[in-house]
């Protein structure tokens, strides 16, 4: 259901509707190399953890960061 792109929005493949977003920022958090935030709309809240896990996997595989700060996740 989720496709993670290097862009701000994530769309439902069934209808193209925006269901959430991922933000990647430089960080000032000690010991971290980037800050990552993600969210899904309330009507897709059941998928929030799934999106966060997909983003974490994506960061590990496709990006050079070793210790992203994921806001309590």
């Amino acid at each position: 259901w989720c496709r993670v792109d290097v862009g701000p929005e994530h769309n439902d493949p069934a209808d193209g509707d925006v269901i959430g977003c991922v933000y990647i920022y430089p960080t000032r958090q000690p010991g971290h190399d980037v800050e990552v935030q993600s969210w899904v709309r309330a009507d897709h809240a059941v998928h929030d953890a799934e999106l966060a896990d997909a983003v974490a996997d994506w960061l590990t595989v496709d990006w050079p960061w070793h210790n992203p700060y994921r806001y309590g996740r």
Side-chain angles (χ1 to χ4, degrees):
W1 76 270
C2 176
R3 183 183 76 213
V4 179
D5 295 320
V6 182
E9 299 175 344
H10 298 286
N11 302 77
D12 185 331
D15 60 12
D17 198 18
V18 174
I19 61 171
C21 194
V22 173
Y23 300 96
I24 301 173
Y25 299 111
T27 187
R28 293 184 181 174
Q29 297 291 329
H32 297 279
D33 19 41
V34 68
E35 292 185 21
V36 181
Q37 298 176 16
S38 65
W39 59 266
V40 295
R41 288 190 342 221
D43 60 332
H44 289 277
V46 68
H47 299 295
D48 184 60
E50 183 180 354
L51 175 61
D53 290 345
V55 168
D57 292 345
W58 174 62
L59 292 172
T60 299
V61 171
D62 293 327
W63 292 92
W65 303 302
H66 301 288
N67 195 19
Y69 181 65
R70 295 178 59 217
Y71 288 89
R73 293 196 183 255

